[in-house]
Amino acid sequence: MKRFREFRKTQEIRDRYADVPPILAGDFIYPYFVTEGENVKEEIATMKDIYRFSIDQLLDDIEDTLSLGIDKVLLFGVIPDEEKDERGSAGYRPDNIISRAVRAIKARFPQVIVFTDVCLCEYTSHGHCGLLHNHDVENDSTLPLLAEMAYQHAVAGADFVAPSAMMDGQIEALRQRLDKEKLPTKILAYSAKYASAYYGPFRDAAGSAPSFGDRKSYQMDYRTKNQGLEEIAADIEEGTDWIMVKPALAYLDILYRASQQFPDYPLVAYQVSGEYSMLINGAQQGLFDEKRIFAESLVAIRRAGAKYIISYYAKKFVKNHLS
């Protein structure tokens, strides 16, 4: 009989034998929703303690985020419905909301590493991630628009552009445009992004729910186990710098396999809106302790191989466990 309980007797002993690298503040990428207007800080109904910020309020909140040691942020644009059109043109015009936010952040906090979401869904009147033809999302005609959006973000000073539309060839389209313009901006690929029910609160936050149908024709089927790795390999071949698995908790197997198969590429996992709200709401209902459930969940993501974690809980985690 081998006595494993000897490894667990006290907290000191448990700490000594913990073999998962700790999560540090610098391992987090904190997501923000940026909206038009001034002095706007609007809580999102489906995501407790998460807000839509106007740019002035965004800067104040980033100051707090930076004080915790979190130096990476991911920006999503939120615009009024009347500014949306079928082509999502508000997302890639020179004065788009994200480019303005990037310029403001870089002017005040040049040390912050800024990632920007590149997708049409927040800006199209129909809510889909690409151009439509007879109610089908057209892949190839969408690529130049994604490349233009990435270009505008890069010119504004974004450190990374993160295309999330799940159009075939999107990394190649962005890479060619950035290289042509001799821009140093890197690419974080939403490589293995699944058509997931866990995105519900995000679509409320960003106003990006599709007006008809769903996104299963371009986001990945969760019943597959190899396509995600094939998508990652394709994005690497097309020139991405970092790779991602999204969502996180329901796809830890994919995350682990990606970490083993692509060890030379920084691997990001996205603890998405539904994961956040599910755990927050469960804690509020007394089902479990909030600090413990998030610590366990985030460590599971790290244990599966993520180098960086996008999480709406990042600031609370740092305050609860690292401060």
Side-chain angles (χ1 to χ4, degrees), residues 60-110:
D60 290 342
D61 203 83
I62 287 178
E63 185 171 12
D64 176 65
T65 302
L66 195 56
S67 73
L68 296 170
I70 300 172
D71 63 351
K72 302 173 188 68
V73 300
L74 170 61
L75 306 182
F76 296 95
V78 183
I79 65 171
D81 287 344
E82 56 268 23
E83 293 188 21
K84 300 179 180 182
D85 60 30
E86 290 189 356
R87 296 181 60 83
S89 57
Y92 47 85
R93 65 192 185 199
D95 65 340
N96 69 84
I97 182 68
I98 294 301
S99 289
R100 282 182 279 132
V102 171
R103 290 189 177 97
I105 293 169
K106 285 298 185 179
R108 184 164 166 184
F109 308 110

Side-chain angles (χ1 to χ4, degrees), residues 19 22 27 31 39 72 91 157 183 194 204 217 225 240 250-251 253 258:
D19 56 4
D27 299 331
N39 202 34
K72 302 173 188 68
L183 291 165
Y194 292 81
D204 172 46
S217 68
K225 64 180 182 179
T240 193
Y251 300 88
D253 58 324

